[in-house]
Amino acid sequence: MTTHIDVLRHGEPLGGRRYRGHGVDDPLTEKGWQQMWDAVAGCADWQHVLTSPLSRCHDFAQQLAKKLRIGYSIDDRFKEVGFGTWEGLTPDEILASDAEALQHFYRDPIRNRPEGAEPLEAFSRRVWDAYNDSAKKYANEHILIVAHAGVIRAITANILGMNLDRVYSNLKIEYGGIISSMLSENEKPKLVIKAR
C-alpha cells in the first residue's frame, strides 16, 4: 500500500517580487490563477486537498476541491516561512536600506535571518511534522498540498536528508511547480519524477 503526496506551489501573486512570507497575504493575479489551473490539468485522481491558510494557496485549493468534488482542509503548518522585518519588501528596498544584510542572507540564509524572522530549522520541523501527519491521516490515498516554495524546499530537504542551506540555495521552484513523493509502509518517503 502506498501514499502519494503532491505539493503544488501557488501561482504569481499580486505585488510583484518581494519577501512574502506568512505576514503578507497577497491574492493571486489572473496569470497566477492560470498557472495553477495549467499545473493541475489532467490530474483528477486526488482524494483530498490540504492547503496553507494564505489566500494565494487557499483560494485555489477551495476552487479545485469543489471542481473535483473532494474534501479540502487548511493546515496552518503549511504556511510560508516568516521573514520578520523583511515581510513585504522587495530585494531592491532591502538593498537600499541594508545591502550587507541581504548579501549575508544570500550567502547563508540559515544563520543570517532578517530580524524577527522564523528560524529555518523551526520552519522545516513544522512543515515536516505536517507532511508526516498528513501521510498518516491520508494513508494509502493520493493527496495534494497547495503551499509555497519554502514548504517545497523543506519537504525536499527532509526527504533527501540534505542540509537546508544547500536546498535553499540550489532548488528553484517555479510558480505552479509540483513535486511528487510516495511513501510505502515501513519505508522512508521518496521523491517521484513524473512524465507529463
PDB file of all heavy atoms in Angstrom, residues 129-144:
ATOM      1  N   ASP A 129       6.627  17.922  10.134  1.00  0.00           N
ATOM      2  CA  ASP A 129       5.600  17.336  11.015  1.00  0.00           C
ATOM      3  C   ASP A 129       4.245  17.307  10.309  1.00  0.00           C
ATOM      4  O   ASP A 129       3.514  16.311  10.374  1.00  0.00           O
ATOM      5  CB  ASP A 129       5.481  18.124  12.321  1.00  0.00           C
ATOM      6  CG  ASP A 129       6.646  17.890  13.270  1.00  0.00           C
ATOM      7  OD1 ASP A 129       7.435  16.942  13.042  1.00  0.00           O
ATOM      8  OD2 ASP A 129       6.776  18.672  14.241  1.00  0.00           O
ATOM      9  N   ALA A 130       3.901  18.392   9.627  1.00  0.00           N
ATOM     10  CA  ALA A 130       2.631  18.464   8.907  1.00  0.00           C
ATOM     11  C   ALA A 130       2.591  17.436   7.773  1.00  0.00           C
ATOM     12  O   ALA A 130       1.568  16.777   7.552  1.00  0.00           O
ATOM     13  CB  ALA A 130       2.410  19.870   8.357  1.00  0.00           C
ATOM     14  N   TYR A 131       3.699  17.297   7.058  1.00  0.00           N
ATOM     15  CA  TYR A 131       3.791  16.317   5.962  1.00  0.00           C
ATOM     16  C   TYR A 131       3.572  14.901   6.505  1.00  0.00           C
ATOM     17  O   TYR A 131       2.766  14.123   5.969  1.00  0.00           O
ATOM     18  CB  TYR A 131       5.159  16.449   5.292  1.00  0.00           C
ATOM     19  CG  TYR A 131       5.448  15.416   4.222  1.00  0.00           C
ATOM     20  CD1 TYR A 131       5.158  15.678   2.882  1.00  0.00           C
ATOM     21  CD2 TYR A 131       6.033  14.192   4.533  1.00  0.00           C
ATOM     22  CE1 TYR A 131       5.428  14.740   1.897  1.00  0.00           C
ATOM     23  CE2 TYR A 131       6.308  13.251   3.551  1.00  0.00           C
ATOM     24  CZ  TYR A 131       6.003  13.537   2.242  1.00  0.00           C
ATOM     25  OH  TYR A 131       6.276  12.600   1.261  1.00  0.00           O
ATOM     26  N   ASN A 132       4.281  14.563   7.576  1.00  0.00           N
ATOM     27  CA  ASN A 132       4.162  13.213   8.144  1.00  0.00           C
ATOM     28  C   ASN A 132       2.785  12.956   8.738  1.00  0.00           C
ATOM     29  O   ASN A 132       2.232  11.857   8.589  1.00  0.00           O
ATOM     30  CB  ASN A 132       5.256  12.974   9.191  1.00  0.00           C
ATOM     31  CG  ASN A 132       6.597  12.710   8.537  1.00  0.00           C
ATOM     32  OD1 ASN A 132       6.725  11.834   7.690  1.00  0.00           O
ATOM     33  ND2 ASN A 132       7.601  13.482   8.900  1.00  0.00           N
ATOM     34  N   ASP A 133       2.216  13.960   9.406  1.00  0.00           N
ATOM     35  CA  ASP A 133       0.859  13.807   9.940  1.00  0.00           C
ATOM     36  C   ASP A 133      -0.144  13.595   8.807  1.00  0.00           C
ATOM     37  O   ASP A 133      -1.065  12.774   8.917  1.00  0.00           O
ATOM     38  CB  ASP A 133       0.455  15.035  10.753  1.00  0.00           C
ATOM     39  CG  ASP A 133       1.200  15.139  12.078  1.00  0.00           C
ATOM     40  OD1 ASP A 133       1.870  14.151  12.480  1.00  0.00           O
ATOM     41  OD2 ASP A 133       1.121  16.215  12.710  1.00  0.00           O
ATOM     42  N   SER A 134       0.034  14.310   7.704  1.00  0.00           N
ATOM     43  CA  SER A 134      -0.851  14.161   6.545  1.00  0.00           C
ATOM     44  C   SER A 134      -0.707  12.775   5.929  1.00  0.00           C
ATOM     45  O   SER A 134      -1.702  12.155   5.540  1.00  0.00           O
ATOM     46  CB  SER A 134      -0.540  15.234   5.490  1.00  0.00           C
ATOM     47  OG  SER A 134      -0.706  16.525   6.027  1.00  0.00           O
ATOM     48  N   ALA A 135       0.529  12.291   5.856  1.00  0.00           N
ATOM     49  CA  ALA A 135       0.759  10.954   5.301  1.00  0.00           C
ATOM     50  C   ALA A 135       0.065   9.877   6.136  1.00  0.00           C
ATOM     51  O   ALA A 135      -0.472   8.905   5.592  1.00  0.00           O
ATOM     52  CB  ALA A 135       2.259  10.676   5.216  1.00  0.00           C
ATOM     53  N   LYS A 136       0.061  10.056   7.443  1.00  0.00           N
ATOM     54  CA  LYS A 136      -0.621   9.084   8.322  1.00  0.00           C
ATOM     55  C   LYS A 136      -2.139   9.201   8.189  1.00  0.00           C
ATOM     56  O   LYS A 136      -2.844   8.199   8.079  1.00  0.00           O
ATOM     57  CB  LYS A 136      -0.205   9.310   9.777  1.00  0.00           C
ATOM     58  CG  LYS A 136       1.202   8.867  10.080  1.00  0.00           C
ATOM     59  CD  LYS A 136       1.591   9.211  11.509  1.00  0.00           C
ATOM     60  CE  LYS A 136       3.083   8.990  11.699  1.00  0.00           C
ATOM     61  NZ  LYS A 136       3.605   9.733  12.843  1.00  0.00           N
ATOM     62  N   LYS A 137      -2.634  10.422   8.221  1.00  0.00           N
ATOM     63  CA  LYS A 137      -4.082  10.639   8.176  1.00  0.00           C
ATOM     64  C   LYS A 137      -4.679  10.169   6.858  1.00  0.00           C
ATOM     65  O   LYS A 137      -5.796   9.643   6.818  1.00  0.00           O
ATOM     66  CB  LYS A 137      -4.394  12.122   8.396  1.00  0.00           C
ATOM     67  CG  LYS A 137      -5.877  12.410   8.462  1.00  0.00           C
ATOM     68  CD  LYS A 137      -6.152  13.837   8.887  1.00  0.00           C
ATOM     69  CE  LYS A 137      -7.655  14.063   9.005  1.00  0.00           C
ATOM     70  NZ  LYS A 137      -7.958  15.423   9.455  1.00  0.00           N
ATOM     71  N   TYR A 138      -3.945  10.371   5.758  1.00  0.00           N
ATOM     72  CA  TYR A 138      -4.451  10.004   4.431  1.00  0.00           C
ATOM     73  C   TYR A 138      -3.655   8.834   3.847  1.00  0.00           C
ATOM     74  O   TYR A 138      -3.387   8.780   2.655  1.00  0.00           O
ATOM     75  CB  TYR A 138      -4.418  11.224   3.503  1.00  0.00           C
ATOM     76  CG  TYR A 138      -5.240  12.359   4.040  1.00  0.00           C
ATOM     77  CD1 TYR A 138      -4.646  13.417   4.727  1.00  0.00           C
ATOM     78  CD2 TYR A 138      -6.626  12.353   3.927  1.00  0.00           C
ATOM     79  CE1 TYR A 138      -5.404  14.448   5.260  1.00  0.00           C
ATOM     80  CE2 TYR A 138      -7.395  13.377   4.460  1.00  0.00           C
ATOM     81  CZ  TYR A 138      -6.778  14.415   5.126  1.00  0.00           C
ATOM     82  OH  TYR A 138      -7.541  15.433   5.663  1.00  0.00           O
ATOM     83  N   ALA A 139      -3.303   7.894   4.711  1.00  0.00           N
ATOM     84  CA  ALA A 139      -2.516   6.723   4.290  1.00  0.00           C
ATOM     85  C   ALA A 139      -3.220   5.995   3.149  1.00  0.00           C
ATOM     86  O   ALA A 139      -4.445   5.842   3.150  1.00  0.00           O
ATOM     87  CB  ALA A 139      -2.309   5.786   5.468  1.00  0.00           C
ATOM     88  N   ASN A 140      -2.422   5.592   2.169  1.00  0.00           N
ATOM     89  CA  ASN A 140      -2.880   4.833   1.002  1.00  0.00           C
ATOM     90  C   ASN A 140      -3.801   5.639   0.088  1.00  0.00           C
ATOM     91  O   ASN A 140      -4.543   5.065  -0.710  1.00  0.00           O
ATOM     92  CB  ASN A 140      -3.560   3.522   1.433  1.00  0.00           C
ATOM     93  CG  ASN A 140      -2.636   2.688   2.295  1.00  0.00           C
ATOM     94  OD1 ASN A 140      -1.459   2.551   1.982  1.00  0.00           O
ATOM     95  ND2 ASN A 140      -3.149   2.169   3.390  1.00  0.00           N
ATOM     96  N   GLU A 141      -3.749   6.959   0.229  1.00  0.00           N
ATOM     97  CA  GLU A 141      -4.510   7.832  -0.659  1.00  0.00           C
ATOM     98  C   GLU A 141      -3.550   8.674  -1.494  1.00  0.00           C
ATOM     99  O   GLU A 141      -2.338   8.651  -1.290  1.00  0.00           O
ATOM    100  CB  GLU A 141      -5.444   8.740   0.153  1.00  0.00           C
ATOM    101  CG  GLU A 141      -6.537   7.988   0.885  1.00  0.00           C
ATOM    102  CD  GLU A 141      -7.532   8.913   1.572  1.00  0.00           C
ATOM    103  OE1 GLU A 141      -7.697  10.069   1.113  1.00  0.00           O
ATOM    104  OE2 GLU A 141      -8.139   8.481   2.560  1.00  0.00           O
ATOM    105  N   HIS A 142      -4.121   9.410  -2.439  1.00  0.00           N
ATOM    106  CA  HIS A 142      -3.357  10.362  -3.253  1.00  0.00           C
ATOM    107  C   HIS A 142      -3.865  11.745  -2.891  1.00  0.00           C
ATOM    108  O   HIS A 142      -5.029  12.062  -3.134  1.00  0.00           O
ATOM    109  CB  HIS A 142      -3.569  10.070  -4.737  1.00  0.00           C
ATOM    110  CG  HIS A 142      -2.691  10.875  -5.631  1.00  0.00           C
ATOM    111  ND1 HIS A 142      -2.751  10.785  -6.998  1.00  0.00           N
ATOM    112  CD2 HIS A 142      -1.718  11.794  -5.375  1.00  0.00           C
ATOM    113  CE1 HIS A 142      -1.868  11.612  -7.546  1.00  0.00           C
ATOM    114  NE2 HIS A 142      -1.235  12.233  -6.581  1.00  0.00           N
ATOM    115  N   ILE A 143      -3.009  12.560  -2.273  1.00  0.00           N
ATOM    116  CA  ILE A 143      -3.430  13.875  -1.814  1.00  0.00           C
ATOM    117  C   ILE A 143      -2.583  14.977  -2.453  1.00  0.00           C
ATOM    118  O   ILE A 143      -1.478  14.729  -2.935  1.00  0.00           O
ATOM    119  CB  ILE A 143      -3.383  14.001  -0.270  1.00  0.00           C
ATOM    120  CG1 ILE A 143      -1.951  13.857   0.251  1.00  0.00           C
ATOM    121  CG2 ILE A 143      -4.307  12.980   0.375  1.00  0.00           C
ATOM    122  CD1 ILE A 143      -1.793  14.198   1.732  1.00  0.00           C
ATOM    123  N   LEU A 144      -3.139  16.170  -2.444  1.00  0.00           N
ATOM    124  CA  LEU A 144      -2.447  17.361  -2.943  1.00  0.00           C
ATOM    125  C   LEU A 144      -2.323  18.357  -1.812  1.00  0.00           C
ATOM    126  O   LEU A 144      -3.290  18.618  -1.098  1.00  0.00           O
ATOM    127  CB  LEU A 144      -3.235  17.996  -4.096  1.00  0.00           C
ATOM    128  CG  LEU A 144      -2.683  19.321  -4.631  1.00  0.00           C
ATOM    129  CD1 LEU A 144      -1.356  19.103  -5.356  1.00  0.00           C
ATOM    130  CD2 LEU A 144      -3.696  19.997  -5.564  1.00  0.00           C
TER     131      LEU A 144
END
